[in-house]
Amino acid sequence: MTSSSDRSQAVDVQEPKTYEVRTYGCQMNVHDSERLSGLLEGAGYVRAPEGSDGDADVVVFNTCAVRENADNRLYGNLGRLAPMKTKRPGMQIAVGGCLAQKDRDTIVKKAPWVDVVFGTHNIGKLPVLLERARVQEEAQVEIAESLEAFPSTLPTRRESAYAAWVSISVGCNNTCTFCIVPALRGKEKDRRTGDILAEIEALVGEGVSEITLLGQNVNAYGSDIGDREAFSKLLRACGQIEGLERVRFTSPHPRDFTDDVIAAMAETPNVMPQLHMPLQSGSDPILKAMRRSYRQDRYLGIIEKVRAAIPHAAITTDIIVGFPGETEEDFEQTMHVAREARFSAAFTFQYSKRPGTPAATMENQVPKEVVQARYERLVALQEQISWDENKKQVGRTLELMVAEGEGRKDGATHRLSGRAPDNRLVHFTKPDREVRPGDVVTVEVTYAAPHHLLAEGAVLDVRRTRAGDAWGKRNAAEAPKSAGVMLGLPKIGAPEPLPVATGSGCGCD
């Protein structure tokens, strides 16, 4: 007969369950995935080793619904897991995010081996739903219609020790005809300023030195209380937080981009000289059809003001090519804005139908071959502009925050990589002394490529930071574990410019 103490010992030596989170889509999804990881680890799960490819006790898909092939991609991945689940008793599969919010019961009908479906408003329920599915031995579909808990109030497992997302709002009040996000994430809901600043201060206390303020329409912050200057006030308040070295934000909307925000950017030292300002189209008729509440002159006027106040600012954008009804003249207006604005990078997408959006049923859909040809012309133009703008950086001395995993060839080239204040990616010669992610180095730029810079000379200075200490502490703590690894989630900072047309960026701001 087994005693109760023997049973306790048996439980104690049981291997913890592993989990894997697969993330698709925008920065909001990345932020949500950090929360999902935190929730699962709080429930006793550990992260599966890198390269597990579904060989985990729980696999979570955090989905995006803003591109035409999103559902095909999800169901294809779910199909590949079906035989693995058959061979692995007790394995569970969960689907959350925008596609789950949209498709709901359809997911379980198409993939009956899925255990849990949850939406964008109730990510905090994941551990409970997994346990309920296990006990009841049937799928749990729970889609909340309104936000149950602000994501930033949930536990988190951040992907970086030195940089962090901080959500200031969720949802969106815009009605862009190409975008389904407002229908899936709801109306904009702002977070209290005091709660935002308290979270930032707590992160800085943990060693974080760079934060990115996150919102679907970040500079509309304050609409809940009717304060049009709330966002600029928030930026200035971030400037008062000791130890916070870099502040970024994404994504703003030209409609809400006011002069007080430009002044706050220019006058707050830790707000970085970087701006991601979605254009979508340079044509006034297409902007009207998109329900974008600005026109070309307004957009270029903002760019001009930003450049006057912050001469070294790097400005990036989103552009959609081939929106329904786009003529050659309309497209030429987009090319004109690209030439005038001199973007350091553009995230350029071929229009694809988002089911459930007004644009999906519009007449005059542009033929695929026409869209492809225009896309290639815009990419070629922007590649040259990006290269020309990067060449202007040669000879400049820059302070870089050393990054982790940004340079794919760093090992072979004996280089390290870091981000400049304007978020440009710089690869630099590895110094003789130890340099950790989160530390700051001073380098001189010697060469420019369209999407990165090189600093091939000796590093001029190395500043060890609390952020580097935090990275070292985390790395030392996780070294013995097989679970403390990255799972392919996007890194903090801008992704590589000019993604392929089938990419999953939403481009909806």
Side-chain angles (χ1 to χ4, degrees), residues 428-467:
F428 61 94
T429 302
K430 188 174 182 179
D432 293 335
R433 60 185 293 190
E434 181 190 28
V435 178
R436 308 158 301 176
D439 286 339
V440 175
V441 299
T442 304
V443 301
E444 181 179 328
V445 178
T446 58
Y447 173 82
H451 306 310
H452 69 268
L453 303 171
L454 292 181
E456 299 165 299
V459 170
L460 304 178
D461 185 54
V462 174
R463 176 164 61 86
R464 293 175 69 86
T465 65
R466 290 173 61 251

Side-chain angles (χ1 to χ4, degrees), residues 256-275:
D256 301 303
F257 206 84
T258 50
D259 290 349
D260 59 292
V261 173
I262 298 173
M265 292 175 65
E267 296 166 9
T268 310
N270 64 356
V271 176
M272 294 294 96
Q274 172 213 352
L275 176 64

Side-chain angles (χ1 to χ4, degrees), residues 489-502:
L489 297 181
K491 309 295 190 297
I492 296 296
E496 286 295 316
L498 299 168
V500 295
T502 56

Side-chain angles (χ1 to χ4, degrees), residues 107-391:
I107 293 174
V108 175
K109 290 177 182 177
K110 289 186 175 181
W113 54 93
V114 169
D115 299 277
V116 171
V117 179
F118 62 102
T120 59
H121 298 311
N122 62 330
I123 64 175
K125 288 286 188 65
L126 177 59
V128 172
L129 293 172
L130 287 168
E131 181 63 14
R132 193 187 301 166
R134 185 188 66 79
V135 172
Q136 297 182 7
E137 297 184 343
E138 64 180 11
Q140 301 296 308
V141 179
E142 188 169 307
I143 306 292
E145 296 301 331
S146 59
L147 191 67
E148 292 186 349
F150 209 96
S152 292
T153 65
L154 300 173
T156 186
R157 201 288 183 187
R158 290 185 291 107
E159 294 303 320
S160 170
Y162 54 90
W165 307 102
V166 174
S167 185
I168 70 170
S169 64
V170 295
C172 182
N173 293 335
N174 295 320
T175 57
C176 301
T177 55
F178 57 81
C179 183
I180 199 171
V181 167
L184 303 180
R185 289 192 176 268
K187 292 292 185 181
E188 180 176 323
K189 183 176 180 59
D190 293 337
R191 193 175 172 203
R192 289 183 62 253
T193 302
D195 292 342
I196 296 168
L197 296 174
E199 181 182 359
I200 295 172
E201 289 172 349
L203 289 168
V204 171
E206 295 172 6
V208 168
S209 60
E210 175 179 317
I211 61 102
T212 300
L213 302 175
L214 187 62
Q216 211 71 52
N217 183 9
V218 69
N219 58 319
Y221 178 74
S223 60
D224 275 0
I225 58 175
D227 184 356
R228 287 181 57 83
E229 296 188 354
F231 185 62
S232 63
K233 293 173 183 175
L234 178 61
L235 291 178
R236 292 183 186 276
C238 288
Q240 302 301 311
I241 298 177
E242 187 176 353
L244 180 59
E245 297 194 18
R246 295 186 173 192
V247 177
R248 306 186 191 277
F249 57 88
T250 194
S251 289
H253 192 294
R255 181 195 66 187
D256 301 303
F257 206 84
T258 50
D259 290 349
D260 59 292
V261 173
I262 298 173
M265 292 175 65
E267 296 166 9
T268 310
N270 64 356
V271 176
M272 294 294 96
Q274 172 213 352
L275 176 64
H276 183 73
M277 179 71 78
L279 169 65
Q280 308 304 5
S281 174
S283 162
D284 287 355
I286 295 299
L287 288 170
K288 183 178 180 180
M290 289 178 168
R291 290 188 198 152
R292 302 287 287 180
S293 51
Y294 56 90
R295 299 296 178 259
Q296 182 187 119
D297 285 351
R298 159 73 172 158
Y299 186 92
L300 288 175
I302 293 171
I303 301 301
E304 184 178 355
K305 288 180 179 179
V306 170
R307 289 247 161 82
I310 315 167
H312 288 300
I315 301 174
T316 58
T317 196
D318 297 327
I319 300 175
I320 297 172
V321 178
F323 187 82
E326 182 187 76
T327 65
E328 181 63 23
E329 182 180 353
D330 293 322
F331 176 68
E332 283 296 339
Q333 289 301 306
T334 297
M335 297 281 276
H336 168 71
V337 174
R339 294 187 188 100
E340 291 292 311
R342 309 293 298 176
F343 301 116
S344 60
F347 305 94
T348 308
F349 304 91
Q350 297 185 31
Y351 171 76
S352 63
K353 293 181 181 179
R354 274 84 160 176
T357 64
T361 57
M362 284 182 176
E363 296 180 352
N364 300 318
Q365 299 283 327
V366 183
K368 171 66 177 176
E369 61 273 16
V370 175
V371 178
Q372 181 67 35
R374 289 176 184 169
Y375 174 80
E376 290 174 1
R377 286 162 57 195
L378 180 59
V379 166
L381 172 64
Q382 184 56 51
E383 286 275 305
Q384 188 59 56
I385 292 173
S386 296
W387 198 3
D388 291 343
E389 292 301 303
N390 273 359
K391 288 175 183 176

